[in-house]
Amino acid sequence: MSSFDLFANDFAEPMHTAIGEQAILFHQFLGNTDETILSNVREVLKVSPLRHLYTPSGHKMSVKSSNCGHYGWLTDKQGYRYQEIDPVTSKPWPQMPANLSVKAVEVARLAGFESFQPDSCLINVYLPGAKMGLHQDKDESDFTKPIVSFSFGLPVDFLWGGFKRSDKYQKITLQHADALVWGGKDRLRYHGVQQLKEGVHPTTGRCRVNLTIRQAD
Ligand code: MD6
Ligand code: FE
């Protein structure tokens, strides 16, 4: 059975594009849940504010980040890692909003990943000019678990590469309310985000918001 057979039970099959053997872009998956999710994210950011992170080599990242859920992803001089305490507040990260984990589990299942239990959500905010270099997501403990990525606001070219940094990559546009799920054979692909172009989006204004929801532990 392919993962798409699961759609047989659904009234409306979400529009999707397979970008890899086990990587699927669900167009407009978040539909009209966008405003609720974003207002929940704004509440999170009142407690654990956005901040620029620094790579272990001291390079300031152009995006601003925060987290919610049991674990938050961090980088600083001590390296890349997940941590239960927000170093800005010295408190646990805010809880992951329930609707966020429900939507993430739902879309992971549509992509064929059944036992996904999210415990971490990285919030990245891109202003025009911000970007994310090619990288692998490999700080999680179990690579059989997928990653779910929700995008809001200004569209961006997502760079979708291979298993070596130098492999050639494709560009895939991520739009407001899109969900991207990847795992399995594609879990350790290099990926990144091209510089965000200037613009104003009706829902988010002059930015792009990306949420990556994971099972870190
Ligand atoms: C972004 N995303 O879309 C950055 N990583 O802003 C990621 O780095 C990412 O979208 C793993 C899986 C999905 C992603
Ligand atoms: Fe990533």
Side-chain angles (χ1 to χ4, degrees):
M1 183 176 105
S2 88
S3 58
F4 291 105
D5 294 335
L6 294 167
F7 291 130
N9 297 321
D10 291 335
F11 286 114
E13 173 178 324
M15 263 268 286
H16 61 267
T17 306
I19 64 168
E21 275 188 82
Q22 292 187 278
I24 304 173
L25 172 57
F26 293 87
H27 303 277
Q28 305 296 306
F29 175 75
L30 296 166
N32 55 14
T33 66
D34 60 343
E35 300 273 8
T36 312
I37 290 176
L38 286 169
S39 73
N40 289 335
V41 168
R42 277 183 218 107
E43 294 303 311
V44 165
L45 297 178
K46 286 181 191 168
V47 179
S48 278
L50 291 170
R51 79 291 306 260
H52 287 287
L53 298 176
Y54 289 81
T55 65
S57 59
H59 187 85
K60 182 182 175 179
M61 293 180 73
S62 58
V63 298
K64 288 179 98 174
S65 308
S66 186
N67 291 277
C68 56
H70 195 77
Y71 297 99
W73 185 85
L74 281 183
T75 170
D76 60 20
K77 272 183 275 183
Q78 293 156 53
Y80 301 112
R81 65 190 179 282
Y82 284 94
Q83 186 169 300
E84 299 178 47
I85 299 295
D86 176 356
V88 168
T89 63
S90 303
K91 290 185 183 139
W93 301 98
Q95 280 200 338
M96 189 170 342
N99 61 347
L100 200 53
S101 56
V102 165
K103 294 306 279 183
V105 167
E106 183 187 332
V107 75
R109 183 176 168 276
L110 288 175
F113 297 97
E114 287 290 344
S115 62
F116 179 50
Q117 294 177 283
D119 57 16
S120 176
C121 173
L122 171 65
I123 302 162
N124 281 149
V125 176
Y126 296 71
L127 294 185
K131 61 184 185 207
M132 175 89 61
L134 285 173
H135 66 277
Q136 292 170 297
D137 287 16
K138 54 178 186 186
D139 301 313
E140 301 74 28
S141 61
D142 183 355
F143 296 150
T144 71
K145 303 298 178 180
I147 295 175
V148 173
S149 154
F150 293 158
S151 291
F152 301 93
L154 293 173
V156 80
D157 279 337
F158 186 71
L159 311 177
W160 173 240
F163 298 99
K164 294 193 307 253
R165 192 188 299 276
S166 56
D167 286 348
K168 67 172 197 282
Y169 54 78
Q170 312 173 49
K171 291 182 190 176
I172 291 152
T173 306
L174 297 182
Q175 311 254 18
H176 179 75
D178 284 353
L180 178 59
V181 183
W182 74 35
K185 291 176 175 162
D186 292 315
R187 180 64 178 71
L188 291 173
R189 278 187 188 270
Y190 277 87
H191 59 279
V193 169
Q194 205 158 54
Q195 207 166 61
L196 190 73
K197 294 197 183 88
E198 197 55 71
V200 178
H201 188 275
T203 305
T204 62
R206 187 173 167 263
C207 73
R208 167 176 185 260
V209 180
N210 180 259
L211 308 177
T212 43
I213 299 131
R214 308 143 195 259
Q215 186 169 339
D217 191 30

